[in-house]
Amino acid sequence: MKSTRRPNVERTADMRARLIAAARALFVAEGYAAASTPSIVAAAGVTRGALYHHFPDKQAIFHAVLLAEAEAVGTAIAAAERPGMSARDSLVAGAGAYLAAMAVPGRVRLLLIDGPAVLGREALHAMERAHGEAALREGLQSALAEAGRMDVPVEPLAILLSALFERAAVAAADGMAPDALMNAVNFIISGLFPQGD
């Protein structure tokens, strides 16, 4: 008779995903400080031992939640690029994808408010560098080359545009119309990288 028991690797991945989903919901609803490991365990329907088998403490599971969020944002940005797009249009599409991805309920709080406060800016920068920020730098390099502006340093421009996108995401979460924000972003990028006829 064939065993119906799932492989251990699959069960481990499912348990981690369950814990991360429960923790995410609590971190969004209550904030990092108020969410407790007992509440995460109860929401996930697992034992405390199961939580600590996968995550040594609350900060570790919070880190895992943020990593999943950053990966989702990076994936959305990468999916926005289409073959044949100009570098400038790719930047605009990536900005739109970033704002749409950040509109997922709770994501602004997790990545832009609680994340830096709990894990520190450097830990968040490491996540950003591995995901959306890398795409932004590559896009800027291509757009600068396309515009014949290789004299403009990429790093400060990436820092400034990243701050602009983050502030736009916060403004959208606070109720500003996403279309108005996207029009402003498009205006700024078009001004930085005008296209000739």
Side-chain angles (χ1 to χ4, degrees):
M1 182 171 157
K2 207 174 201 180
S3 171
T4 58
R5 187 175 168 105
R6 294 182 310 154
N8 198 36
V9 172
E10 190 178 309
R11 285 181 290 141
T12 297
D14 285 350
M15 178 61 72
R16 276 184 66 86
R18 194 164 150 193
L19 285 163
I20 289 169
R24 185 198 191 279
L26 286 167
F27 291 140
V28 169
E30 301 176 6
Y32 177 82
S36 65
T37 53
S39 64
I40 294 169
V41 165
V46 301
T47 66
R48 224 174 142 89
L51 172 68
Y52 290 119
H53 174 74
H54 295 280
F55 303 100
D57 55 27
K58 184 170 79 166
Q59 188 169 329
I61 196 167
F62 186 68
H63 185 276
V65 167
L66 266 59
L67 185 58
E69 296 296 308
E71 287 173 351
V73 172
T75 299
I77 292 168
E81 190 167 340
R82 299 282 179 260
M85 273 185 162
S86 68
R88 184 190 78 175
D89 289 346
S90 290
L91 275 176
V92 172
Y98 172 80
L99 291 177
M102 291 301 288
V104 170
R107 196 165 274 166
V108 165
R109 179 178 191 164
L110 291 168
L111 289 174
L112 302 182
I113 300 167
D114 288 353
V118 174
L119 299 181
R121 252 340 268 161
E122 188 47 45
L124 263 290
H125 278 311
M127 284 184 201
E128 291 166 357
R129 279 191 298 270
H131 297 90
E133 204 172 282
L136 176 59
R137 278 183 178 72
E138 289 172 18
L140 285 171
Q141 285 174 332
S142 296
L144 288 167
E146 189 176 82
R149 293 301 313 267
M150 297 310 292
D151 57 317
V152 178
V154 171
E155 187 63 22
L157 190 54
I159 289 168
L160 292 172
L161 283 178
S162 182
L164 173 119
F165 298 148
E166 287 182 8
R167 186 61 189 100
V170 171
D174 287 343
M176 186 172 279
D179 288 348
L181 287 163
M182 199 54 221
N183 285 340
V185 167
N186 194 10
F187 176 78
I188 290 167
I189 292 174
S190 296
L192 289 171
F193 305 106
Q195 287 184 324
D197 294 329

